[in-house]
mmCIF file of all heavy atoms in Angstrom:
data_model
loop_
_atom_site.group_PDB
_atom_site.id
_atom_site.type_symbol
_atom_site.label_atom_id
_atom_site.label_comp_id
_atom_site.label_asym_id
_atom_site.label_seq_id
_atom_site.Cartn_x
_atom_site.Cartn_y
_atom_site.Cartn_z
ATOM 1 N N ASP A 50 6.491 2.171 -12.415
ATOM 2 C CA ASP A 50 6.965 1.131 -13.338
ATOM 3 C C ASP A 50 7.365 -0.128 -12.568
ATOM 4 O O ASP A 50 7.030 -1.252 -12.960
ATOM 5 C CB ASP A 50 8.163 1.650 -14.149
ATOM 6 C CG ASP A 50 7.863 2.946 -14.867
ATOM 7 O OD1 ASP A 50 6.922 2.972 -15.672
ATOM 8 O OD2 ASP A 50 8.565 3.947 -14.619
ATOM 9 N N ARG A 51 8.077 0.063 -11.456
ATOM 10 C CA ARG A 51 8.489 -1.093 -10.664
ATOM 11 C C ARG A 51 7.271 -1.784 -10.035
ATOM 12 O O ARG A 51 7.230 -3.016 -9.932
ATOM 13 C CB ARG A 51 9.495 -0.667 -9.587
ATOM 14 C CG ARG A 51 10.794 -0.138 -10.168
ATOM 15 C CD ARG A 51 11.938 -0.191 -9.182
ATOM 16 N NE ARG A 51 11.753 0.642 -8.012
ATOM 17 C CZ ARG A 51 12.042 1.937 -7.951
ATOM 18 N NH1 ARG A 51 12.504 2.557 -9.027
ATOM 19 N NH2 ARG A 51 11.871 2.615 -6.832
ATOM 20 N N SER A 52 6.279 -0.984 -9.634
ATOM 21 C CA SER A 52 5.053 -1.583 -9.094
ATOM 22 C C SER A 52 4.348 -2.422 -10.146
ATOM 23 O O SER A 52 3.825 -3.505 -9.849
ATOM 24 C CB SER A 52 4.115 -0.488 -8.582
ATOM 25 O OG SER A 52 4.668 0.168 -7.464
ATOM 26 N N PHE A 53 4.341 -1.935 -11.379
ATOM 27 C CA PHE A 53 3.727 -2.701 -12.466
ATOM 28 C C PHE A 53 4.447 -4.026 -12.666
ATOM 29 O O PHE A 53 3.811 -5.085 -12.811
ATOM 30 C CB PHE A 53 3.747 -1.880 -13.753
ATOM 31 C CG PHE A 53 3.266 -2.631 -14.966
ATOM 32 C CD1 PHE A 53 1.918 -2.879 -15.146
ATOM 33 C CD2 PHE A 53 4.156 -3.093 -15.924
ATOM 34 C CE1 PHE A 53 1.463 -3.578 -16.261
ATOM 35 C CE2 PHE A 53 3.720 -3.788 -17.033
ATOM 36 C CZ PHE A 53 2.362 -4.030 -17.201
ATOM 37 N N CYS A 54 5.774 -4.011 -12.668
ATOM 38 C CA CYS A 54 6.532 -5.243 -12.846
ATOM 39 C C CYS A 54 6.198 -6.248 -11.752
ATOM 40 O O CYS A 54 6.046 -7.454 -12.017
ATOM 41 C CB CYS A 54 8.028 -4.949 -12.845
ATOM 42 S SG CYS A 54 8.610 -4.002 -14.276
ATOM 43 N N GLU A 55 6.073 -5.764 -10.525
ATOM 44 C CA GLU A 55 5.756 -6.672 -9.415
ATOM 45 C C GLU A 55 4.357 -7.255 -9.565
ATOM 46 O O GLU A 55 4.121 -8.428 -9.247
ATOM 47 C CB GLU A 55 5.912 -5.931 -8.093
ATOM 48 C CG GLU A 55 7.375 -5.682 -7.755
ATOM 49 C CD GLU A 55 7.566 -4.628 -6.692
ATOM 50 O OE1 GLU A 55 6.562 -4.030 -6.249
ATOM 51 O OE2 GLU A 55 8.727 -4.395 -6.297
ATOM 52 N N THR A 56 3.418 -6.445 -10.077
ATOM 53 C CA THR A 56 2.074 -6.967 -10.286
ATOM 54 C C THR A 56 2.053 -8.019 -11.381
ATOM 55 O O THR A 56 1.370 -9.042 -11.260
ATOM 56 C CB THR A 56 1.102 -5.830 -10.624
ATOM 57 O OG1 THR A 56 1.068 -4.904 -9.540
ATOM 58 C CG2 THR A 56 -0.297 -6.366 -10.872
ATOM 59 N N VAL A 57 2.809 -7.804 -12.448
ATOM 60 C CA VAL A 57 2.884 -8.811 -13.512
ATOM 61 C C VAL A 57 3.470 -10.105 -12.962
ATOM 62 O O VAL A 57 3.007 -11.209 -13.305
ATOM 63 C CB VAL A 57 3.695 -8.288 -14.713
ATOM 64 C CG1 VAL A 57 3.876 -9.387 -15.768
ATOM 65 C CG2 VAL A 57 3.010 -7.076 -15.349
ATOM 66 N N ARG A 58 4.461 -10.000 -12.092
ATOM 67 C CA ARG A 58 5.018 -11.217 -11.483
ATOM 68 C C ARG A 58 3.979 -11.907 -10.597
ATOM 69 O O ARG A 58 3.905 -13.145 -10.553
ATOM 70 C CB ARG A 58 6.282 -10.870 -10.689
ATOM 71 C CG ARG A 58 7.482 -10.559 -11.579
ATOM 72 C CD ARG A 58 8.770 -10.548 -10.795
ATOM 73 N NE ARG A 58 8.908 -9.367 -9.958
ATOM 74 C CZ ARG A 58 9.465 -8.230 -10.370
ATOM 75 N NH1 ARG A 58 9.931 -8.124 -11.611
ATOM 76 N NH2 ARG A 58 9.571 -7.211 -9.551
ATOM 77 N N THR A 59 3.166 -11.121 -9.898
ATOM 78 C CA THR A 59 2.084 -11.701 -9.093
ATOM 79 C C THR A 59 1.095 -12.449 -9.981
ATOM 80 O O THR A 59 0.643 -13.548 -9.647
ATOM 81 C CB THR A 59 1.346 -10.586 -8.320
ATOM 82 O OG1 THR A 59 2.241 -10.033 -7.352
ATOM 83 C CG2 THR A 59 0.107 -11.113 -7.625
ATOM 84 N N ILE A 60 0.757 -11.846 -11.122
ATOM 85 C CA ILE A 60 -0.172 -12.492 -12.050
ATOM 86 C C ILE A 60 0.429 -13.782 -12.598
ATOM 87 O O ILE A 60 -0.253 -14.815 -12.718
ATOM 88 C CB ILE A 60 -0.550 -11.515 -13.184
ATOM 89 C CG1 ILE A 60 -1.343 -10.329 -12.611
ATOM 90 C CG2 ILE A 60 -1.357 -12.218 -14.273
ATOM 91 C CD1 ILE A 60 -1.607 -9.216 -13.608
ATOM 92 N N ARG A 61 1.706 -13.754 -12.891
ATOM 93 C CA ARG A 61 2.368 -14.965 -13.390
ATOM 94 C C ARG A 61 2.322 -16.080 -12.349
ATOM 95 O O ARG A 61 2.049 -17.243 -12.673
ATOM 96 C CB ARG A 61 3.822 -14.643 -13.770
ATOM 97 C CG ARG A 61 4.706 -15.848 -14.022
ATOM 98 C CD ARG A 61 4.169 -16.766 -15.106
ATOM 99 N NE ARG A 61 4.178 -16.124 -16.397
ATOM 100 C CZ ARG A 61 3.333 -16.433 -17.375
ATOM 101 N NH1 ARG A 61 2.382 -17.353 -17.189
ATOM 102 N NH2 ARG A 61 3.395 -15.820 -18.544
ATOM 103 N N GLU A 62 2.577 -15.736 -11.088
ATOM 104 C CA GLU A 62 2.536 -16.757 -10.036
ATOM 105 C C GLU A 62 1.129 -17.309 -9.844
ATOM 106 O O GLU A 62 0.952 -18.504 -9.578
ATOM 107 C CB GLU A 62 3.054 -16.162 -8.722
ATOM 108 C CG GLU A 62 4.544 -15.850 -8.749
ATOM 109 C CD GLU A 62 5.014 -15.159 -7.489
ATOM 110 O OE1 GLU A 62 4.187 -14.999 -6.555
ATOM 111 O OE2 GLU A 62 6.199 -14.772 -7.422
ATOM 112 N N ALA A 63 0.121 -16.452 -10.000
ATOM 113 C CA ALA A 63 -1.259 -16.901 -9.819
ATOM 114 C C ALA A 63 -1.738 -17.747 -10.995
ATOM 115 O O ALA A 63 -2.549 -18.664 -10.815
ATOM 116 C CB ALA A 63 -2.176 -15.695 -9.634
ATOM 117 N N TYR A 64 -1.240 -17.450 -12.205
ATOM 118 C CA TYR A 64 -1.680 -18.156 -13.422
ATOM 119 C C TYR A 64 -0.446 -18.584 -14.217
ATOM 120 O O TYR A 64 -0.138 -18.025 -15.272
ATOM 121 C CB TYR A 64 -2.598 -17.252 -14.253
ATOM 122 C CG TYR A 64 -3.787 -16.778 -13.455
ATOM 123 C CD1 TYR A 64 -3.816 -15.501 -12.891
ATOM 124 C CD2 TYR A 64 -4.884 -17.611 -13.222
ATOM 125 C CE1 TYR A 64 -4.895 -15.071 -12.131
ATOM 126 C CE2 TYR A 64 -5.966 -17.189 -12.465
ATOM 127 C CZ TYR A 64 -5.964 -15.923 -11.915
ATOM 128 O OH TYR A 64 -7.033 -15.503 -11.163
ATOM 129 N N PRO A 65 0.278 -19.581 -13.730
ATOM 130 C CA PRO A 65 1.565 -19.944 -14.340
ATOM 131 C C PRO A 65 1.455 -20.465 -15.763
ATOM 132 O O PRO A 65 2.430 -20.392 -16.523
ATOM 133 C CB PRO A 65 2.123 -21.015 -13.390
ATOM 134 C CG PRO A 65 0.921 -21.548 -12.660
ATOM 135 C CD PRO A 65 -0.014 -20.406 -12.534
ATOM 136 N N GLN A 66 0.287 -20.989 -16.155
ATOM 137 C CA GLN A 66 0.154 -21.551 -17.493
ATOM 138 C C GLN A 66 -0.412 -20.563 -18.507
ATOM 139 O O GLN A 66 -0.492 -20.874 -19.702
ATOM 140 C CB GLN A 66 -0.762 -22.790 -17.437
ATOM 141 C CG GLN A 66 -0.246 -23.894 -16.527
ATOM 142 C CD GLN A 66 1.151 -24.329 -16.905
ATOM 143 O OE1 GLN A 66 1.463 -24.534 -18.083
ATOM 144 N NE2 GLN A 66 2.018 -24.489 -15.911
ATOM 145 N N ALA A 67 -0.810 -19.385 -18.053
ATOM 146 C CA ALA A 67 -1.438 -18.413 -18.959
ATOM 147 C C ALA A 67 -0.398 -17.736 -19.839
ATOM 148 O O ALA A 67 0.763 -17.571 -19.453
ATOM 149 C CB ALA A 67 -2.211 -17.366 -18.161
ATOM 150 N N TRP A 68 -0.838 -17.350 -21.021
ATOM 151 C CA TRP A 68 -0.031 -16.475 -21.871
ATOM 152 C C TRP A 68 -0.276 -15.047 -21.401
ATOM 153 O O TRP A 68 -1.418 -14.601 -21.285
ATOM 154 C CB TRP A 68 -0.430 -16.624 -23.337
ATOM 155 C CG TRP A 68 0.361 -15.711 -24.244
ATOM 156 C CD1 TRP A 68 0.154 -14.386 -24.479
ATOM 157 C CD2 TRP A 68 1.506 -16.062 -25.003
ATOM 158 N NE1 TRP A 68 1.088 -13.887 -25.332
ATOM 159 C CE2 TRP A 68 1.944 -14.904 -25.676
ATOM 160 C CE3 TRP A 68 2.207 -17.254 -25.184
ATOM 161 C CZ2 TRP A 68 3.043 -14.885 -26.524
ATOM 162 C CZ3 TRP A 68 3.310 -17.248 -26.026
ATOM 163 C CH2 TRP A 68 3.712 -16.074 -26.695
ATOM 164 N N ILE A 69 0.781 -14.325 -21.102
ATOM 165 C CA ILE A 69 0.664 -12.950 -20.609
ATOM 166 C C ILE A 69 1.310 -12.001 -21.602
ATOM 167 O O ILE A 69 2.528 -12.029 -21.811
ATOM 168 C CB ILE A 69 1.306 -12.781 -19.223
ATOM 169 C CG1 ILE A 69 0.619 -13.684 -18.202
ATOM 170 C CG2 ILE A 69 1.240 -11.317 -18.778
ATOM 171 C CD1 ILE A 69 1.222 -13.615 -16.806
ATOM 172 N N ASP A 70 0.479 -11.191 -22.242
ATOM 173 C CA ASP A 70 0.951 -10.103 -23.093
ATOM 174 C C ASP A 70 1.103 -8.853 -22.250
ATOM 175 O O ASP A 70 0.187 -8.484 -21.509
ATOM 176 C CB ASP A 70 -0.050 -9.817 -24.214
ATOM 177 C CG ASP A 70 0.296 -10.524 -25.508
ATOM 178 O OD1 ASP A 70 1.414 -11.055 -25.632
ATOM 179 O OD2 ASP A 70 -0.562 -10.529 -26.414
ATOM 180 N N VAL A 71 2.229 -8.175 -22.362
ATOM 181 C CA VAL A 71 2.422 -6.873 -21.739
ATOM 182 C C VAL A 71 2.495 -5.823 -22.837
ATOM 183 O O VAL A 71 3.329 -5.920 -23.742
ATOM 184 C CB VAL A 71 3.694 -6.839 -20.871
ATOM 185 C CG1 VAL A 71 3.993 -5.404 -20.422
ATOM 186 C CG2 VAL A 71 3.534 -7.744 -19.658
ATOM 187 N N VAL A 72 1.614 -4.842 -22.767
ATOM 188 C CA VAL A 72 1.534 -3.796 -23.783
ATOM 189 C C VAL A 72 2.138 -2.517 -23.216
ATOM 190 O O VAL A 72 1.708 -2.020 -22.167
ATOM 191 C CB VAL A 72 0.077 -3.550 -24.221
ATOM 192 C CG1 VAL A 72 0.019 -2.457 -25.289
ATOM 193 C CG2 VAL A 72 -0.547 -4.845 -24.752
ATOM 194 N N LEU A 73 3.143 -1.983 -23.903
ATOM 195 C CA LEU A 73 3.829 -0.756 -23.506
ATOM 196 C C LEU A 73 3.829 0.225 -24.670
ATOM 197 O O LEU A 73 3.788 -0.188 -25.837
ATOM 198 C CB LEU A 73 5.281 -1.057 -23.111
ATOM 199 C CG LEU A 73 5.537 -2.097 -22.025
ATOM 200 C CD1 LEU A 73 7.034 -2.381 -21.914
ATOM 201 C CD2 LEU A 73 4.990 -1.624 -20.692
ATOM 202 N N PRO A 74 3.926 1.533 -24.388
ATOM 203 C CA PRO A 74 3.956 2.505 -25.479
ATOM 204 C C PRO A 74 5.325 2.662 -26.118
ATOM 205 O O PRO A 74 5.448 3.239 -27.198
ATOM 206 C CB PRO A 74 3.536 3.811 -24.790
ATOM 207 C CG PRO A 74 4.035 3.651 -23.391
ATOM 208 C CD PRO A 74 3.881 2.190 -23.068
ATOM 209 N N LYS A 75 6.373 2.153 -25.438
ATOM 210 C CA LYS A 75 7.734 2.380 -25.914
ATOM 211 C C LYS A 75 8.655 1.398 -25.223
ATOM 212 O O LYS A 75 8.404 0.995 -24.090
ATOM 213 C CB LYS A 75 8.160 3.831 -25.596
ATOM 214 C CG LYS A 75 9.490 4.276 -26.147
ATOM 215 C CD LYS A 75 9.708 5.757 -25.828
ATOM 216 C CE LYS A 75 11.056 6.243 -26.337
ATOM 217 N NZ LYS A 75 11.255 7.704 -26.049
ATOM 218 N N ALA A 76 9.721 1.000 -25.895
ATOM 219 C CA ALA A 76 10.719 0.145 -25.260
ATOM 220 C C ALA A 76 11.576 0.982 -24.324
ATOM 221 O O ALA A 76 11.842 2.152 -24.573
ATOM 222 C CB ALA A 76 11.591 -0.531 -26.309
ATOM 223 N N GLY A 77 11.986 0.386 -23.208
ATOM 224 C CA GLY A 77 12.795 1.113 -22.244
ATOM 225 C C GLY A 77 13.335 0.171 -21.187
ATOM 226 O O GLY A 77 13.252 -1.064 -21.319
ATOM 227 N N PRO A 78 13.874 0.705 -20.099
ATOM 228 C CA PRO A 78 14.469 -0.136 -19.046
ATOM 229 C C PRO A 78 13.509 -1.153 -18.449
ATOM 230 O O PRO A 78 13.939 -2.185 -17.944
ATOM 231 C CB PRO A 78 14.908 0.891 -17.993
ATOM 232 C CG PRO A 78 15.080 2.168 -18.736
ATOM 233 C CD PRO A 78 14.057 2.143 -19.825
ATOM 234 N N ILE A 79 12.209 -0.888 -18.499
ATOM 235 C CA ILE A 79 11.236 -1.785 -17.887
ATOM 236 C C ILE A 79 11.213 -3.162 -18.551
ATOM 237 O O ILE A 79 10.878 -4.163 -17.919
ATOM 238 C CB ILE A 79 9.827 -1.154 -17.924
ATOM 239 C CG1 ILE A 79 8.876 -1.907 -16.994
ATOM 240 C CG2 ILE A 79 9.285 -1.098 -19.342
ATOM 241 C CD1 ILE A 79 7.520 -1.256 -16.865
ATOM 242 N N VAL A 80 11.583 -3.223 -19.819
ATOM 243 C CA VAL A 80 11.458 -4.474 -20.571
ATOM 244 C C VAL A 80 12.256 -5.601 -19.922
ATOM 245 O O VAL A 80 11.760 -6.713 -19.722
ATOM 246 C CB VAL A 80 11.886 -4.262 -22.039
ATOM 247 C CG1 VAL A 80 12.008 -5.598 -22.767
ATOM 248 C CG2 VAL A 80 10.891 -3.358 -22.758
ATOM 249 N N ALA A 81 13.505 -5.321 -19.562
ATOM 250 C CA ALA A 81 14.341 -6.370 -18.963
ATOM 251 C C ALA A 81 13.756 -6.858 -17.647
ATOM 252 O O ALA A 81 13.869 -8.049 -17.316
ATOM 253 C CB ALA A 81 15.761 -5.847 -18.757
#
Side-chain angles (χ1 to χ4, degrees):
D50 306 302
R51 296 201 297 276
S52 293
F53 174 75
C54 292
E55 288 163 357
T56 299
V57 175
R58 287 194 286 271
T59 293
I60 294 172
R61 168 57 66 208
E62 291 175 4
Y64 303 100
Q66 300 304 315
W68 179 280
I69 299 178
D70 264 348
V71 171
V72 180
L73 304 172
K75 186 176 179 179
I79 194 174
V80 170

